[in-house]
Amino acid sequence: MSLIVLAYLLVTMLCLGCTSEVQQGEKVPVVVISDLYSPGQDVGDNFDILTPYALENIDLKAVIFDVTDNFRMVTGDNPILREPGFTVVQQLNYLFDADVPCACGPFTALVSETDTKEDVPHYQTRGIDLLFDVLEKSEQPVHIVSTGSCRPLAVAYNRNPELMCSDKVAAVHIAAGSTSDEFMEWNIALDSLAAARVFKSRMKLVLYPCATEDGPFARNENNAFWSLRDLDFVLDMEPRLRNYLVYQLISLDRPDFLTYLDAPLPEEHVTALKDRSADKWYGSGGRHYVWETAVWQQVAGLRLVSHPDGAASLCPADSISSDDAIFEEYLRPVLLKVKDNGLFSYEYTDGPSDVKIYYRSDPWENERLLNKALPELYKGFGTDN
């Protein structure tokens, strides 16, 4: 291994702090909190939830649905009936012969920063109970990955701050917010009081802002957004995983949601995937927008690497060769200033801090490499891990 590779890995370990302790062969326990719906409200969530199932060193302990009641209803802005993603989890449990439990978080926004949601039906807080159960029983510190609003996290913290701040939690990874306190990002707007509560808390936080001051589709060194050119690679994936992704990406809602995974893929659904124009109202030109790749890289200990032949891959540190070039990205300690509406500003610090933020040296090079690496990662996924 070259001195450059060794030096980079040392810097990465120093900067990662609590997320640098991923050992080869060791499974990392993870709880996912996601605004995961069926059919997808944002199919990026249905696309990304495959990752913790398929990565061999992730031990997915539970999925908690971050539910916002309005998205379950048919309105002028929301023409599709949808419910929390139970069928999504059941499809993936079926494919991976897994038994990952799932449950809902509260359906409505906090009424105060200290709201414990004791007044809602217990069905809406079973996800909080599930999170506590996983943490209390785990023999290893658990990574919590939140990719929706901060509502379930805030309620969990309000109900049991000692547990949420204990050594049972390795880190709370949050894909939400903006690198500017002047832009109200989608996940923060879903429940701004919850965001304020979480960002002001004593929990060990790792932030992956989705947006910049220029919006959710802009890029800078601290936000995690990137754009995938097309989804044609899905058709080259392991057939059952291919069928799962096609089902999600073209927003099917069928009673045979398990049988579909084992059946030949209908040609009209191949055409639908190829014709799909993701987020066309944002002018994506058919691209698939991604915000969560950096989260899974950090939790799973994957490095984004370019190879001498021009290829790129997401791979563990022990598979990097001396001829590979590692893209520079890591977590940097920061000091936060949090507004009551959930917006925050930050500054890097060399001192102690329980808050870190994602950093990438060149967002456009990051996107260029990920357009090569992520399709290869997904095409390499199987269901026998």
Side-chain angles (χ1 to χ4, degrees), residues 3 10 106 151 155 157 161 164 183 238 262 272 352 364:
L3 290 176
L10 177 60
R151 188 182 309 137
V155 174
Y157 182 77
M164 295 299 292
F183 181 82
E238 189 274 331
D262 294 313
W364 291 103

Side-chain angles (χ1 to χ4, degrees), residues 28 31 38 74 81 85 124 126 129 131 133 138 151 159 163 190 213 219 229 232 239-240 242 282 299 301 304 334 365:
V28 181
V31 171
S38 181
V74 172
L81 280 173
Q124 296 185 29
R126 286 179 180 167
D129 296 340
L131 173 61
D133 185 61
S138 180
R151 188 182 309 137
R159 289 190 174 190
L163 179 60
L190 287 173
E213 62 184 1
R219 302 153 182 82
R229 283 191 296 270
D232 288 353
R240 299 167 83 220
R242 173 203 64 196
Y282 294 125
V299 173
L304 179 57
V334 292
E365 177 67 1

Side-chain angles (χ1 to χ4, degrees), residues 118-136:
E118 300 289 352
D119 58 336
V120 304
H122 182 224
Y123 184 87
Q124 296 185 29
T125 59
R126 286 179 180 167
I128 311 303
D129 296 340
L130 178 57
L131 173 61
F132 290 163
D133 185 61
V134 169
L135 293 178
E136 288 166 354

Side-chain angles (χ1 to χ4, degrees), residues 137 157 186-187 205 211 261 265 275 294 335 343 357 361 375 380:
K137 292 180 178 177
Y157 182 77
W186 171 269
N187 288 326
L205 303 180
L261 304 176
L265 187 63
D275 289 346
L335 300 176
L343 298 178
I357 198 165
S361 58

Side-chain angles (χ1 to χ4, degrees), residues 2-13:
S2 72
L3 290 176
I4 293 175
V5 171
L6 286 171
Y8 174 79
L9 292 176
L10 177 60
V11 170
T12 301
M13 290 177 66

